[in-house]
Amino acid sequence: MTSPDTEPRAPRPLRVAVVGATGAVGQEMRRLLVARDVPLEGEPVFLASERSAGKRLPWLDGEVEVQAISEEAFDGVDVALFSAGGTRSKQWAPVAASRGAVVVDNSSAFRMDDQVPLVVSEVNPEAIANRPKGIIANPNCTTMVLMVAAKPLHDAFGLTEMVATSYQAAGGAGMSGITELLEQATKLGADGDQLRFAGAQAEAGVEPATFSKAIAFNVLAHCGSFTDERYTDEEWKLVNESRKILKQPALRVSPTCVRVPVVVGHAIAARLTFAAPVARDAAMEALAAAPGLVVEDGTGLDGEPLAYPTPLASAGRDDVLVGRVREDLADPYSLNLWVVGDNLLKGAALNTVQLAELVAAEG
Ligand code: A2P
């Protein structure tokens, strides 16, 4: 007979607040709450800045009015999904938690706090149980996507080192990043000769705001803000968050984060080194069995279909995609691979909603 303790508990319907409901990630969270049929209690609370107060956002067959964020707005809320930037999280997440809500925070504000679990739903879901501050942190979008592929390999072979270069979409910087890319693409795209023969002039001819240089028709070796040791904060997130999620404080990580003119979809070229020699076949087996991960890997040679994931084809997909899985040419302990995922979905809103589902599943 099954003991009552091992029977899955009925999910608890949640009263949910979305903080940053009008933003790029907030919009996806609202859509996913419906699409995934998250068990909800009553209407959600949509919060944003004063600018958006009174605006009506679609919800099921009707609309819900956006409120300016306030202490009272969190009353009666079970789970508050935050994606309104680190400053807002620092100020309001403790308020929401003190009013009894479990906060799932998409910003970097609490990720490295020892008392805040940093959780990828397929990688370390058990970590959500230990949340003394009532806050659970959602990892950085690039780290999240990479971890979905790195974890099954780590479990199989023992990860010791990662050299990771990201190709990050403009949408990782929010709506303003997407707008900046599209506007520049229209402007610069109208003069192909300038792009071809006078690129510096084209670059100087736009006024970047979200990014430090022209993002359209360009590749920027600069994601986030420069900080210690000449690395950016985005690069440090890859180092520190990977160590925390995999519980490998000594993991060696060499990051380079690059911004590319893609609307949505982050890619990472990674060289992973393990404690034991690793064969491609064994790696493919581990990757094929991993939750939330789809393998697209083929050379087009010897009757094998040509297959590898692209950021464009990942946009709008829940799964993380992996391809180009190769044994390293020089080191039998290392593999090279290409990991791709929608930075607004698995990289942000989807994982946040999955963490809310895990809270609901606590019953
Ligand atoms: P608003 O639309 O009212 O500015 P994105 O990352 O796509 O730019 O979205 C940022 C989100 O954070 C938006 O929903 C935005 O609301 C919200 N936000 C920005 N500033 C504040 C603030 N001071 N208080 C509450 N929400 C804010």
Side-chain angles (χ1 to χ4, degrees):
M1 206 178 87
T2 321
S3 119
D5 284 352
T6 60
E7 277 176 19
R9 299 195 189 143
R12 169 168 65 115
L14 304 171
R15 185 156 159 75
V16 167
V18 179
V19 183
T22 50
V25 174
Q27 184 182 348
E28 283 301 306
M29 286 178 184
R30 288 188 277 117
R31 187 183 64 74
L32 287 166
L33 287 170
V34 177
R36 294 177 65 85
D37 218 0
V38 177
L40 295 182
E41 175 81 45
E43 274 190 350
V45 180
F46 291 156
L47 303 174
S49 75
E50 293 280 1
R51 293 180 293 276
S52 304
K55 194 172 167 183
R56 301 186 73 80
L57 295 174
W59 178 255
L60 301 176
D61 295 332
E63 292 176 331
V64 168
E65 190 173 307
V66 178
Q67 302 173 42
I69 193 165
S70 69
E71 287 189 25
E72 302 71 42
F74 295 105
D75 282 345
V77 167
D78 298 309
V79 173
L81 310 177
F82 271 68
S83 195
T87 313
R88 260 71 62 189
S89 292
K90 277 192 194 125
Q91 184 181 355
W92 292 103
V95 173
S98 74
R99 300 238 161 187
V102 176
V103 171
V104 183
D105 182 31
N106 191 45
S107 82
S108 60
F110 298 98
R111 288 182 192 148
M112 297 315 297
D113 186 324
D114 285 345
Q115 297 191 14
V116 173
L118 181 64
V119 186
V120 184
S121 66
E122 297 86 352
V123 171
N124 57 338
E126 69 291 342
I128 71 153
N130 184 16
R131 46 171 195 267
K133 290 190 171 170
I135 301 172
I136 303 167
N138 208 43
N140 160 263
C141 42
T142 303
T143 311
M144 182 105 64
V145 167
L146 183 55
M147 287 300 103
V148 174
K151 176 62 164 42
L153 297 172
H154 172 55
D155 286 346
F157 313 111
L159 187 64
T160 58
E161 187 172 337
M162 302 198 300
V163 180
T165 303
S166 69
Y167 300 71
Q168 297 184 215
M175 286 291 194
S176 61
I178 295 177
T179 310
E180 192 159 314
L181 168 59
L182 295 177
E183 284 177 1
Q184 288 179 7
T186 306
K187 183 172 181 220
L188 296 181
D191 189 349
D193 280 352
Q194 189 187 46
L195 290 172
R196 191 165 164 215
F197 300 114
Q201 219 174 303
E203 195 173 89
V206 298
E207 280 177 28
T210 301
F211 306 111
S212 54
K213 292 172 185 273
I215 180 66
F217 306 104
N218 216 355
V219 170
L220 310 182
H222 176 195
C223 257
S225 314
F226 282 98
T227 166
D228 299 344
E229 315 287 352
R230 308 186 75 82
Y231 285 79
T232 65
D233 56 351
E234 199 72 7
E235 289 161 346
W236 276 113
K237 288 173 195 173
L238 201 43
V239 176
N240 294 324
E241 295 184 23
S242 300
R243 289 175 173 166
K244 181 167 175 178
I245 293 163
L246 296 175
K247 296 199 222 78
Q248 294 293 308
L251 185 69
R252 290 192 296 272
V253 184
S254 304
T256 304
C257 291
V258 177
R259 191 73 74 182
V260 294
V262 164
V263 173
V264 162
H266 284 0
I268 304 106
R271 179 185 199 258
L272 306 182
T273 304
F274 301 94
V278 54
R280 178 185 132 87
D281 285 354
M284 291 293 276
E285 221 171 276
L287 293 170
L293 188 67
V294 171
V295 181
E296 292 182 356
D297 189 301
T299 59
L301 302 174
D302 303 326
E304 196 179 81
L306 177 65
Y308 61 90
T310 64
L312 182 57
S314 81
R317 274 187 78 165
D318 285 355
D319 299 307
V320 171
L321 309 159
V322 63
R324 300 297 320 277
V325 180
R326 289 151 290 159
E327 289 167 15
D328 192 76
L329 293 176
D331 178 13
Y333 289 73
S334 295
L335 282 176
N336 295 301
L337 40 81
W338 174 246
V339 190
V340 177
D342 182 319
N343 51 294
L344 298 180
L345 284 176
K346 186 60 203 174
L350 174 61
N351 196 67
T352 309
V353 171
Q354 287 172 312
L355 297 183
E357 288 169 350
L358 290 175
V359 173
E362 289 173 344

